[in-house]
Structures are given as C-alpha cells and as structure tokens.
Amino acid sequence: MPGRFELYVKAVEEAGGEAVFVFSGADVRDLAAGYDGFLIPGGKDIDPALYGEDRTFPCVPEGDRRTDFEISLLHEIIDLRKPVLGICYGMQLINVFFGGSLYQDIASQKSGALDHREGVHLIRICENPFIGEGQVVTNSSHHQAVKGAGRGIKPFAYASDDIIEAFYLEDHPFLLGVQWHPERMVTPLSCLIFSKFVGACRADK
C-alpha cells in the first residue's frame, strides 16, 4: 500500500503529469515561476488565528512553517495565474487565504452534521466549470470545513448537511478545492479531477 505522499504522485502521474514535492524554505518566487501548477495536499488543522478567531474547539494546527510558506507561495501563484488544486487542508487554506472562515470542529459547531472524520458519504455537485453535476460518493477524513467562503470563492458541492465539499475561484484559469481525498479513491471523478488539473498545467505549453 503506497504512503500518502506517494498517492498524490501516483494520481498526478496517471493523469499524465509529473509531480515534484517542494518544501518550506525554498524561494517562493522561483517556485511559482518554475512550475506549471501547484497541488496543496492534506495536512493537519488550520490555526483559527489565521482567520481571526480564538481556538475554542478541538484543533491540532499544522505548523506555522508550512502554513506561512504556503500562504507566501499562494500570493505568487495567484499573481501568475497558475493552476491550483487544493485537497482537504489545501482547500481550507485557500479559503482562509482569500479571507474566508472555517468550522473549527464541525461536530461541535453544526447541529445535525454528518460524521466527517471517517467513512464515506454522498455529495451533490452543482454547476461549475470543471466537473459534471450530479451525486457521487466521496471519502471523508476531516473535522474542519469551509464556513464562510472567501473573496471570489464559489462553492459548488455539498454534503447532505450542507457542509461545503468543493469550490472554485472565479476569474482564475483553474483553482479547484475539494474537501475529500481523490488521491485515495480510484473513481471516474477522482481521475477527472487530476486530469483537469494536469490539463490546466499544460494549457500554455
């Protein structure tokens, strides 16, 4: 069974791309200019301080070194209009980057919520530029989620408890955030997500 990092590489490569991991400490301007697109993978929680809240619910924040680096990199990526795919933590970080907020802990803050920490559940996909509308089953491995959408963020997929499961950024060539982990699922939707991302990375070639 491949490790979690290997699953991202495998998914990108099977879509026809080449994946290279970059880590905090690298020059963000050089990275943004040197790569065709960026995938922000899963991780721990987003520190509520990043969206102006005190930590009042269970939370295990990702380290500042990673989040500060990715926020700095996002500034460069967005300016250059490079493709971005955010998965789970990556989706949440993008939303916070654009001024949005999160549920610090879904179960504590949303009455009648599904158990999003594990298992699978149905989502409904509404009109969007990248993937087809309809209902699909996705995996679930999170306890935070988008609460208030950031500037230009357009939610388009929802769980039955109305938790936002996917969004895109208006007026950007390709910025897609998904709350589930498509790299862990071999489904037509998962393949389409990575295919669209790799295709967007190649669009200017």
Side-chain angles (χ1 to χ4, degrees), residues 165-188:
E165 293 280 342
F167 63 56
Y168 67 91
L169 180 65
E170 297 178 304
D171 300 321
H172 190 86
F174 185 100
L175 186 149
L176 175 63
V178 297
Q179 186 55 73
W180 66 95
H181 283 270
E183 79 283 1
R184 301 180 190 174
M185 302 180 73
V186 183
T187 66

Side-chain angles (χ1 to χ4, degrees), residues 68-158:
D68 291 350
F69 170 73
E70 288 171 334
I71 288 170
S72 295
L73 182 56
L74 271 168
H75 278 287
E76 301 296 329
I77 294 168
I78 299 303
D79 283 348
L80 294 175
R81 297 179 63 79
K82 295 285 184 83
V84 185
L85 173 60
I87 293 176
C88 199
Y89 158 96
M91 171 184 174
Q92 296 166 10
L93 185 72
I94 291 167
N95 186 59
V96 170
F97 174 83
F98 284 103
S101 63
L102 305 177
Y103 289 105
Q104 293 185 32
D105 182 68
I106 297 169
S108 301
Q109 293 182 270
K110 188 168 177 60
S111 177
L114 299 172
D115 181 3
H116 287 268
R117 288 181 175 271
E118 59 183 1
V120 298
H121 60 73
L122 195 69
I123 67 169
R124 68 183 188 280
I125 301 174
C126 305
E127 183 179 0
N128 69 91
F130 304 121
I131 57 181
E133 299 176 52
Q135 292 189 325
V136 296
V137 172
T138 64
N139 56 25
S140 197
S141 181
H142 62 104
H143 77 106
Q144 295 190 328
V146 172
K147 183 179 181 183
R151 299 179 303 276
I153 294 292
K154 180 70 174 177
F156 69 85
Y158 305 85

